[in-house]
Amino acid sequence: VLEGPCCCSSAIGLCMVPIRVDVVERAISEVLTAARAKPRRFLESVELQFSFRDHDVQRDKRFSGSIDLPNRARPNLKVCLLGNAQHCEEAARLGISFRSVEDLRKLHRNKKLVKRLLKSYHHFLTSQDLITHIPRLFGPEACIRIFPTVVSLTDDLEAKVAEIQSRVKFRSARL
């Protein structure tokens, strides 16, 4: 929906009109040609904002969700596997950062070491049999900060990491 000249008697003089597909495709191609013409030293991104028609803010206070995109939206997202021996071997073979149970026991619930580990990664995966041991290994404050994604023995780690990197979360914001 784009802002356009008002077709009704709106107080602000603008109203929302539907977007045409050809306009969006033309705008995307213009952005891509401009990006190719003058390459930058950083990753360029486009911010998308939209509003819902007939959404009552008083009744529906908040909503949130996530969408899995076909491409990796965040390829630089650092993921760490907290796993058993089988998952650690697979993660080492794939080049994914991992911590074994012995590595986690060395932390001894030391708050500084746990905080340093939690800050160094964006997302955590954990083996299915370790999910109950996370509060005992890290302490109670770590369970509040992270909520690891559970990986079963039959799951493909590479596909799971790709899924996490391509997931985009959204939530409503009050203006």
Side-chain angles (χ1 to χ4, degrees), residues 20-174:
R20 294 193 330 255
V21 176
D22 59 335
V23 173
V24 174
E25 289 176 349
R26 187 169 15 102
I28 290 172
S29 65
E30 288 174 5
V31 168
L32 290 175
T33 55
R36 287 188 194 109
K38 189 174 181 182
R40 310 287 183 168
R41 292 185 182 175
F42 56 89
L43 183 65
E44 294 183 75
S45 62
V46 176
E47 185 174 311
L48 177 67
Q49 293 184 357
F50 57 93
S51 62
F52 294 107
R53 258 193 272 175
D54 301 329
H55 175 70
D56 187 13
V57 180
Q58 298 298 324
R59 190 171 49 92
D60 304 325
K61 294 290 183 188
R62 292 185 183 180
F63 62 89
S64 63
S66 62
I67 298 173
D68 291 335
L69 299 175
N71 299 327
R72 292 184 183 195
R74 300 176 293 173
N76 297 329
L77 185 80
K78 291 189 271 183
V79 178
C80 180
L81 173 74
L82 311 172
N84 54 18
Q86 180 182 357
H87 277 137
C88 289
E89 289 173 7
E90 188 178 352
R93 188 173 39 84
L94 295 173
I96 300 170
S97 300
F98 65 92
R99 298 279 192 261
S100 64
V101 180
E102 292 80 28
D103 296 337
L104 298 176
R105 286 203 175 112
K106 289 178 187 174
L107 297 176
H108 290 295
R109 296 176 81 163
N110 185 343
K111 287 185 178 181
K112 287 185 180 179
L113 295 176
V114 169
K115 192 180 270 189
R116 188 179 304 152
L117 175 68
L118 295 178
K119 282 186 176 181
S120 61
Y121 295 101
H122 297 113
H123 196 83
F124 289 92
L125 297 170
T126 185
S127 298
Q128 194 170 11
D129 52 341
L130 273 181
I131 192 70
T132 57
H133 300 291
I134 296 290
R136 276 183 265 156
L137 295 170
F138 282 139
E141 73 176 31
C143 295
I144 296 169
R145 288 184 170 203
I146 65 165
F147 188 75
T149 304
V150 179
V151 179
S152 66
L153 292 172
T154 58
D155 288 344
D156 183 20
L157 283 180
E158 195 169 18
K160 202 72 150 172
V161 170
E163 177 185 326
I164 290 169
Q165 289 176 339
S166 65
R167 181 172 294 145
V168 176
K169 295 180 181 178
F170 62 89
R171 62 183 176 85
S172 68
R174 292 185 112 181

